Amino acid sequence: LPGTTNVCHTSPVGPQIRAATMKLAGAVALLLPAACGAFAPRAFTASAPTRSVLQSTVEDETSSAVPDRVAPDAKWVPDWEDRAGLSPDVFMESDMSKSDLSGMWECPLTRWDSDGIDVKKAQAQARRQPKCPLEVRAKPSDNEAGMAYFEKNRDRLRGDLLKYGAVWLRGFDLMKDVNGYREMHEALGLEPCLDPLHSSGLRKFASERDALYEEVNKPSLRGHYIGLHCESTAKRTAAYAAFVCFQRATEGGGRFLVADGAAILAEMDPAVLQKLYDREIRISVSNLDIPPAFPGPLKEGIKIAVDKAVAPKFDMDLEMIYESDGKPGRLQAVETAESPINRHPVTGLPVWFNNAHNHARKLRDRRPCGVPEVGMTEVFYADTMEPLSLEDCQEIKRASESCITALAMEPGDVLLVDNYRALHGRDVFQGDRYHAVSWFTWDDNEEWRGEERRIVEKNGMNKVINQMMDWLPKDFESDQS
């Protein structure tokens, strides 16, 4: 690399650069990017705050300097129905007579349309939207019809997805296994694509030939609360998703979280929303702590090595910046500036479209977190690169969690998500849990979809980083909040 050849090859600190580069590869992999008149399903009840289930993480200003870690609130908490599922050897068996989908479409580029938004008018428009998600409960006749139900109701369900932002398909027997799940989304005409962070190793495939990713079920992340986010980066965003439950958590927890980006926009304090829109945000996705005593040329050599050798592998527009969060010696990989509000590509509806609820360090430090320090994220004001204030984080948290429905997803349940409209997350859980997801590109717009397909031979980074996930060191000490 220009300017670093002597450092890397003749100095005894060369191995330190190479080790640091490998460490950041794991760090970027840990990004947890990468996030709706009113409809009230029968089983949904408004949730009063309770510390036994989902409780606010914003403590009183006079509380201890070290914040408590408690799981956030949800506005709606449907009841469990205790429906039985199939055994893993049955629900994961793929139909080998079907075509192999492993050469699926690349995740499409993000559709940005965020200029010239009148925040107050956008909030007024957002308040007129129906509640998200829409619940569609299977009747006995629907289960008897199987795949034919989805073929017959394709246009209606696709229309509801656009209208409500998410559709909860509840109590369907067809999707209790991989094959029925695939029949469902193929009947709806959805075209699978890669996860926008496929090479990061965040998710491994549950069934690669069926274009099905495993959700975050890793034992090491059971105790990690995943905040609200769209499955997107500043560069790539999946158009739609279908989250499926094959096995609910065996010992409790694991509710799937969903919230309408329009509802969050409508709920947020107008002054805070205007401030964030005017200043825009940037998100750091990883930390590499270099000893502050390292000489400047060595630190610069590490920065160049990481920027040239590691960052491009993750298909994200990243800038390597030292000490943006104030910690001496810390090198952070930071995404480009983006608006927290975006217009929906199809409907034009302005929505809250960003991952601040998941990525803000001041919120992560106040709820259950199982991410190594190297993978901890932060959200900055783009104009000054200062971390968001606690007050602004509190408002993001309040507005977001007032719109969350904590779904009781059971075997066969699927949540269809418009990824430009609804945000999703996951509560902590105990025992074993098996949820999975497929991402989908634009099936009716070739220009937006693009012509790229997955090159299967380039899947090595995904597999390597998946093996790193469980042994990366955990360090949850933080003075950033």
Side-chain angles (χ1 to χ4, degrees), residues 311-362:
K313 299 182 186 301
F314 295 91
D315 198 21
M316 298 171 67
D317 293 326
L318 298 172
E319 180 184 4
M320 302 302 154
I321 303 176
Y322 272 112
E323 303 176 0
S324 54
D325 67 354
K327 184 170 183 178
R330 172 162 287 182
L331 178 62
Q332 293 182 292
V334 186
E335 284 198 272
T336 55
E338 58 190 78
S339 171
I341 309 173
N342 193 30
R343 294 182 182 91
H344 190 282
V346 178
T347 67
L349 177 70
V351 299
W352 179 254
F353 180 73
N354 68 84
N355 299 336
H357 184 264
N358 186 45
H359 290 329
R361 183 66 188 254
K362 292 180 179 67

Side-chain angles (χ1 to χ4, degrees), residues 134 148 168-169 193 285 298 344 353 359 462:
L134 172 69
W168 183 11
L169 302 172
C193 71
V285 301
L298 176 56
H344 190 282
F353 180 73
H359 290 329
N462 179 280

Side-chain angles (χ1 to χ4, degrees), residues 14 86 90 92 123 162 215 219 239 291 295 366 370 386 396 399 402 405:
L86 306 174
V90 175
M92 285 307 302
Q123 288 188 298
L162 200 62
E215 267 193 59
R366 289 165 168 79
E386 295 174 304
I396 290 171
S402 71
T405 298

Side-chain angles (χ1 to χ4, degrees), residues 24 301-312 318-320 331:
L24 193 71
I302 294 173
K303 175 181 175 181
I304 293 173
V306 169
D307 188 40
K308 300 296 184 184
V310 177
L318 298 172
E319 180 184 4
M320 302 302 154
L331 178 62

Side-chain angles (χ1 to χ4, degrees), residues 34-50:
C36 285
F39 175 83
R42 294 189 306 275
F44 287 18
T45 55
S47 169
T50 168

Side-chain angles (χ1 to χ4, degrees), residues 169-235:
L169 302 172
R170 196 174 190 189
F172 285 85
D173 293 335
L174 177 67
M175 293 88 79
K176 286 186 176 182
D177 61 29
V178 169
N179 297 320
Y181 168 82
R182 177 170 168 176
E183 288 179 353
M184 176 275 300
H185 72 66
E186 288 182 338
L188 293 178
L190 297 169
E191 289 278 350
C193 71
L194 291 174
D195 186 299
L197 291 170
H198 173 78
S199 62
S200 74
L202 176 62
R203 288 194 184 91
K204 63 181 180 181
F205 280 113
S207 179
E208 186 170 355
R209 68 182 317 278
D210 295 299
L212 183 65
Y213 286 89
E214 183 178 347
E215 267 193 59
V216 185
N217 303 312
K218 295 178 182 293
S220 61
L221 294 176
R222 289 171 182 155
H224 175 69
Y225 177 95
I226 301 176
L228 293 177
H229 62 286
C230 305
E231 206 64 25
S232 67
T233 68
K235 184 175 182 179

